[in-house]
Amino acid sequence: MVTIREEKITDIAARDVLLDAAYGASRFAKASERLRESRVPADGLSLVAVDRGRIVGTVRLWHVSAGPGCAALLLGPLAVDPAHRNRGIGSALVRRAIARARLAGHRAIVLVGDAAYYSRFGFTAVRTAELWMPGRYDRDRLLALELRPEALAGARGLIAATGAFAPKPELNMLIAANDRRSRQARVQRAA
Ligand SMILES: CC(C)(COP(=O)(O)OP(=O)(O)OC[C@H]1O[C@@H](n2cnc3c(N)ncnc32)[C@H](O)[C@@H]1OP(=O)(O)O)[C@@H](O)C(=O)NCCC(=O)NCCS
C-alpha cells in the first residue's frame, strides 16, 4: 500500500535518484529551479509517497511572491517513479500538498507544468497572464491555483523566491551525499 507522509532528511538520497530518473540533468536548468536553489522548502510541505519502505513519489512547495507583495507557494518538482505511474500517486501527492497548504493558511500556488495534467486539481493560466518566471519557460505552462478567493487578483510582476536561505553545505557533506546517492542508484538498479 502506498502512503503519503512528510519528507525526512533520510529520504533525500532516494528522492534525488527519483528526480534524476524523472527529469535527468535538465532538472537543474528549469526556470522553477532558479526559485528553489539555495532556499528551504515551505514548512511541512515536502511530501513523499512510500511503497513498502521505498520512496516512489515526491513533491515540494516553496515560498515565493507572485509579483510584489503577493505571497504564494511554488509547487515542484513533482515526480513519480516510472514503475509506479498511473496508479494515482502523483494525484495523491498534489491533492495532499494542496490540502496541507490550504490548512496552513497559504493563499495561492503557482507552478510551471502541463495544463493537461494540473487542470484536474484546479490549476489554470487565468491568473498568470501578468506574471513572469525568471529564465526560460513556456508561458502556457505557467499555472496557478487560488486557495483563497481572489488571492491572485491583480497579481503582476516577477515571481521571486522568498523562502529562508538553506545553510551552505560543507564540501565533505556534499561528497557524502554524492556517495549516498550513487549507492542508492546502484541498489535501485539491482532491485
Ligand atoms: C506527471 C507524473 C508526476 C504523474 O504521476 P502519476 O502517479 O502517474 O499520476 P496519476 O496516476 O495521478 O495520474 C495519471 C494520469 O495523468 C496523466 N498524465 C501524466 N502525465 C501527464 C502529462 N504530462 N500531461 C497530461 N496528462 C498526464 C496520465 O496519462 C494519466 O491519465 P488518466 O488518469 O486519464 O489515465 C509522472 O508521470 C512523472 O513523474 N512524470 C515525470 C516528471 C514530470 O513530468 N512531472 C511534472 C508533470 S508536468
Side-chain angles (χ1 to χ4, degrees), residues 22-23 78-80 85-91 113-114 116-118 120:
Y23 293 100
L78 167 70
V80 171
R85 288 188 188 160
N86 297 312
R87 291 172 57 196
I89 297 174
S91 299
D114 293 336
Y117 185 67
Y118 286 104
R120 70 195 69 193

Side-chain angles (χ1 to χ4, degrees), residues 84-161:
H84 292 76
R85 288 188 188 160
N86 297 312
R87 291 172 57 196
I89 297 174
S91 299
L93 280 165
V94 175
R95 289 189 205 285
R96 185 73 66 88
I98 293 171
R100 288 181 76 123
R102 186 175 272 124
L103 205 63
H106 294 288
R107 300 172 53 79
I109 304 176
V110 296
L111 61 81
V112 179
D114 293 336
Y117 185 67
Y118 286 104
S119 60
R120 70 195 69 193
F121 313 111
F123 286 89
T124 71
V126 170
R127 295 291 199 191
T128 58
E130 301 288 324
L131 290 171
W132 296 270
M133 290 286 289
R136 283 164 160 254
Y137 66 99
D138 181 349
R139 278 217 67 86
D140 297 346
R141 289 165 52 83
L142 180 55
L143 310 174
L145 171 70
E146 293 177 315
L147 303 177
R148 301 264 182 96
E150 304 296 301
L152 293 175
R156 183 168 200 278
L158 188 67
I159 300 177

Side-chain angles (χ1 to χ4, degrees), residues 1-170:
M1 194 185 103
V2 176
T3 52
I4 309 280
R5 62 157 170 79
E6 265 186 55
E7 182 189 308
K8 301 180 203 165
I9 196 140
T10 48
D11 298 329
I12 287 181
R15 176 180 175 274
D16 271 336
V17 171
L18 182 56
L19 290 173
D20 286 344
Y23 293 100
S26 72
R27 73 181 169 107
F28 297 109
K30 290 182 177 297
S32 301
E33 191 58 26
R34 303 289 74 80
L35 299 173
R36 301 190 284 248
E37 59 195 354
S38 312
R39 306 282 175 158
V40 293
D43 255 4
L45 295 174
S46 293
L47 305 179
V48 290
V50 184
D51 187 13
R52 281 165 284 177
R54 187 167 163 200
I55 305 297
V56 295
T58 174
V59 70
R60 284 181 174 180
L61 292 171
W62 307 76
H63 291 289
V64 292
S65 63
C70 186
L73 295 166
L74 172 79
L75 185 148
L78 167 70
V80 171
D81 184 317
H84 292 76
R85 288 188 188 160
N86 297 312
R87 291 172 57 196
I89 297 174
S91 299
L93 280 165
V94 175
R95 289 189 205 285
R96 185 73 66 88
I98 293 171
R100 288 181 76 123
R102 186 175 272 124
L103 205 63
H106 294 288
R107 300 172 53 79
I109 304 176
V110 296
L111 61 81
V112 179
D114 293 336
Y117 185 67
Y118 286 104
S119 60
R120 70 195 69 193
F121 313 111
F123 286 89
T124 71
V126 170
R127 295 291 199 191
T128 58
E130 301 288 324
L131 290 171
W132 296 270
M133 290 286 289
R136 283 164 160 254
Y137 66 99
D138 181 349
R139 278 217 67 86
D140 297 346
R141 289 165 52 83
L142 180 55
L143 310 174
L145 171 70
E146 293 177 315
L147 303 177
R148 301 264 182 96
E150 304 296 301
L152 293 175
R156 183 168 200 278
L158 188 67
I159 300 177
T162 54
F165 284 101
K168 280 213 170 81
E170 288 171 23

